[in-house]
Amino acid sequence: MRQAMNHAQRLRAPHLLPGAWLALMLLGPVAAAQQLDIRLPLEKGSVRFAVIGDMGTGLPPQYAVARQMELYRQKTGYDFVLMLGDNIYGGHGPTDFHRKFELPYKPLLDAGVKFYACLGNHDDPAVEIRYKPFGMDGRRYYTFKQGAVEFFVLDSNYMDPDQLTWVAGQLRESKSRWKLAYFHHPLYSDAKTHGSDLDLRSRLQPLFDEYKVNVVLSGHDHVYERLKPQQGIYYFVEGDSGQLRPHDLHRHRGDMEVGEDTAQSFMLVEITPDAFHFQVITGEGRTIDSGSLPHP
Amino acid sequence: MRIVPSPPALFGLRPHTPAFLALAGCLWLFVPAPAPAQDTVASADGSKQAVIQDFNERIAKYMELRRKIQGGSPPATAPPEKLLVYRDQLRDRIVAARSSTGQGDIFSPRTAEYFKRQLAAMLNGPHGGQIRASLKRAEPVHGIPVSVNGRYPPNVPLESTPPSLLLSLPLLPKELEYRVVNRDLVLRDKDANLIVDFIPDALPEAQAPSH
């Protein structure tokens, strides 16, 4: 605990960090000794990326997850990261962006990894959509493609008629084999604190069903959860890449396939033409869920 | 689901001009409502069209003033320090230009009454339960001071606005948004982080989300 508090105190004054401390923080004391447990097929030509949500605290657990992300990047070669919102908690000044994003993910940024953010309720939209490393280019919602995958990045804080019209049009026109949507508030969640957003679900799920979205990723609840497929769509909650709300999951609800609420984590994903392969790894390097979900 | 045209698609009219907003308001009147409760409101208020038109004209007036003083649009990308300076400068200019403005400048008493009835109808209608649940799960904050020309407190999360509520309210230019703060409905200028106007206690007390 004392070590963790010292860590946090030092992070509040990053200009005081000596080089040795910085190296220790970014690489981690266990990095060299850790055996990586990679459960992805690593097929040639596949689309590989990482997923983080509710991460922007600037506190040690975020850094621990970030260290694992870098270790796994070196072995799997993923080259972009999806951010599920609450990217920066609290203030949004330059030191906040440094301490809560640029510093923890420095090895990834240095390696040329791109980030694609959506907005959470703790984010400052006017600032974050224009912050270049978040990949939003001034837009609240947008799409991008990687190989056979099209990503639909939505702003669930403010799902106004314009955005609903836009997402319906984008989904209708998409010819991609895989359609993946992500946004902050989960349509399905078994967490006690927030849970499923039913109003948002009533507006988005009909579109996802009609236009054959394959995978939906969200955060907001500070847990990891994989839901049983809903109308053939795979839903995940990954809202604990910095924050954590211990023991927040209802364990006996019918929709949960796998849930974890005792450790911060990130997702590693590989999409091949026929399957969505995933692995969820904690800040200590433990794999808590993995599998391959077939293309419907 | 009620989907309306996005602003750039309105018959070639430049977005957020008085003509655009008048046309958007008229179109909005003819879009089928998502809930029977809305029809009740419409039939009970024969002056709905006049209220919406008045509201749109006030919005257009605000946007005209904003365009005159904003000094260019913010860049698509910029460092946070520049964006925060831009925000403060924009807010200062708007506040200076609206120094005599008070609550009710955009939401006139008649408009406020109409909005309150719309919100009550939605919250008491068939979607009411899911809207209240959505508000509750949006991590609402309380005790936020709300005043015209005030700023929304930095570092405090913004409560998300349920899509069904947004579908029941008139369209806004992209620079503005509706937000629920406490039980008030706030009209917020996004880039300036400025409270343009608000309706106190817009959400009915009995239907305010419990925490």
Side-chain angles (χ1 to χ4, degrees):
Chain A
M1 176 60 82
R2 178 179 296 169
Q3 186 180 5
M5 288 182 68
N6 285 341
H7 190 171
Q9 286 161 356
R10 284 168 188 268
L11 288 173
R12 289 190 191 100
H15 58 285
L16 297 177
L17 289 169
W21 173 257
L22 180 63
L24 179 67
M25 190 166 58
L26 295 178
L27 298 175
V30 297
Q34 185 180 331
Q35 292 286 330
L36 297 188
D37 170 24
I38 295 170
R39 302 184 188 179
L40 303 180
L42 304 184
E43 286 184 19
K44 191 177 178 184
S46 61
V47 177
R48 298 174 207 166
F49 56 93
V51 182
I52 51 178
D54 301 70
M55 74 301 283
T57 63
L59 295 173
Q62 179 188 12
Y63 282 74
V65 170
R67 278 197 296 272
Q68 294 297 328
M69 292 172 69
E70 169 57 8
L71 290 175
Y72 276 84
R73 184 200 64 79
Q74 291 172 10
K75 297 295 183 187
T76 63
Y78 71 80
D79 56 5
F80 63 101
V81 177
L82 311 185
M83 302 169 76
L84 304 181
D86 288 359
N87 312 309
I88 304 287
Y89 284 93
H92 281 74
T95 56
D96 295 295
F97 280 87
H98 181 69
R99 188 164 59 87
K100 302 166 187 174
F101 177 73
E102 293 161 5
L103 196 53
Y105 307 116
K106 185 175 188 304
L108 300 176
L109 292 164
D110 288 348
V113 171
K114 303 288 185 197
F115 288 76
Y116 296 97
C118 71
L119 295 169
N121 56 304
H122 286 265
D123 293 315
D124 185 331
V127 177
E128 291 191 34
I129 63 173
R130 299 183 177 102
Y131 176 62
K132 193 168 186 179
F134 281 3
M136 303 180 81
D137 292 331
R139 302 163 299 181
R140 284 198 301 124
Y141 44 89
Y142 58 102
T143 67
F144 65 98
K145 290 182 186 172
Q146 294 280 342
V149 189
E150 183 158 9
F151 296 85
F152 300 85
V153 191
L154 309 183
D155 178 7
S156 58
N157 297 286
Y158 202 78
M159 189 60 63
D160 57 359
D162 282 350
Q163 187 178 182
L164 284 169
T165 304
W166 175 87
V167 69
Q170 294 293 318
L171 287 170
R172 188 187 309 114
E173 291 168 16
S174 176
K175 301 286 190 289
S176 295
R177 176 165 173 78
W178 285 91
K179 297 185 182 78
L180 189 154
Y182 66 97
F183 45 88
H184 188 62
H185 298 80
L187 304 192
Y188 292 92
S189 164
D190 287 309
K192 299 168 192 167
T193 301
H194 299 309
S196 310
D197 191 323
L198 300 180
D199 196 50
L200 194 63
R201 187 200 292 179
S202 74
R203 302 295 169 184
L204 287 180
Q205 178 150 352
L207 298 177
F208 294 168
D209 292 343
E210 181 175 359
Y211 299 116
K212 311 290 185 204
V213 169
N214 307 111
V215 181
V216 177
L217 306 171
S218 298
H220 197 46
D221 277 312
H222 299 162
V223 298
Y224 166 75
E225 184 178 9
R226 173 160 60 92
L227 284 300
K228 290 176 180 168
Q230 306 289 323
Q231 316 290 338
I233 300 173
Y234 304 121
Y235 286 89
F236 291 82
V237 176
E238 177 53 277
D240 64 2
S241 304
Q243 294 276 21
L244 179 67
R245 196 165 279 127
H247 310 294
D248 195 42
L249 282 169
H250 286 290
R251 287 286 172 185
H252 306 294
R253 292 264 179 96
D255 288 340
M256 184 193 298
E257 195 85 80
V258 174
E260 168 60 51
D261 54 6
T262 62
Q264 283 87 355
S265 67
F266 75 102
M267 281 180 78
L268 204 51
V269 176
E270 177 175 1
I271 298 182
T272 58
D274 297 324
F276 178 94
H277 310 276
F278 66 95
Q279 180 174 358
V280 183
I281 302 152
T282 69
E284 295 80 38
R286 180 168 52 97
T287 294
I288 54 176
D289 191 18
S290 64
S292 296
L293 305 171
H295 189 282
Chain B
M1 180 179 299
R2 191 172 65 111
I3 303 289
V4 297
S6 58
L10 281 183
F11 306 109
L13 288 178
R14 190 173 158 222
H16 318 132
T17 57
F20 170 87
L21 289 167
L23 180 57
C26 290
L27 284 177
W28 181 80
L29 291 172
F30 290 104
V31 175
Q38 283 203 312
D39 294 331
T40 307
V41 171
S43 60
D45 185 357
S47 62
K48 174 180 173 180
Q49 187 171 353
V51 169
I52 300 301
Q53 187 173 338
D54 176 65
F55 175 73
N56 283 335
E57 285 170 1
R58 288 167 189 255
I59 292 287
K61 194 175 161 189
Y62 174 82
M63 292 306 298
E64 194 178 329
L65 173 107
R66 191 186 190 280
R67 263 191 294 274
K68 279 181 188 166
I69 62 177
Q70 73 175 6
S73 298
T77 60
E81 57 269 32
K82 285 192 177 174
L83 292 166
L84 293 172
V85 168
Y86 173 86
R87 167 187 288 176
D88 289 345
Q89 290 176 342
L90 178 60
R91 186 172 56 242
D92 289 347
R93 288 193 204 115
I94 295 173
V95 169
R98 304 177 78 226
S99 57
S100 59
T101 302
Q103 193 270 317
D105 182 61
I106 304 284
F107 294 121
S108 68
R110 212 162 146 232
T111 305
E113 191 56 35
Y114 170 77
F115 270 65
K116 286 169 91 163
R117 286 207 310 270
Q118 282 290 102
L119 293 171
M122 287 304 292
L123 286 162
N124 292 324
H127 298 292
Q130 70 187 35
I131 295 171
R132 284 194 298 277
S134 183
L135 285 165
K136 185 179 177 184
R137 287 163 185 172
E139 233 167 283
V141 289
H142 294 283
I144 303 291
V146 175
S147 62
V148 171
N149 283 344
R151 65 176 183 168
Y152 188 84
N155 309 346
V156 175
L158 278 162
E159 183 172 349
S160 58
T161 315
S164 294
L165 281 191
L166 293 173
L167 284 161
S168 75
L169 300 176
L171 292 173
L172 290 173
K174 65 179 173 55
E175 291 84 353
L176 301 176
E177 64 181 9
Y178 300 110
R179 291 284 185 172
V180 175
V181 181
N182 311 316
R183 283 176 48 221
D184 306 339
L185 185 73
V186 163
L187 182 66
R188 178 174 172 267
D189 187 313
K190 294 189 275 189
D191 287 334
N193 188 25
L194 177 83
I195 296 172
V196 180
D197 202 355
F198 67 101
I199 303 175
D201 299 331
L203 267 66
E205 190 165 20
Q207 306 296 350
S210 59
H211 311 291

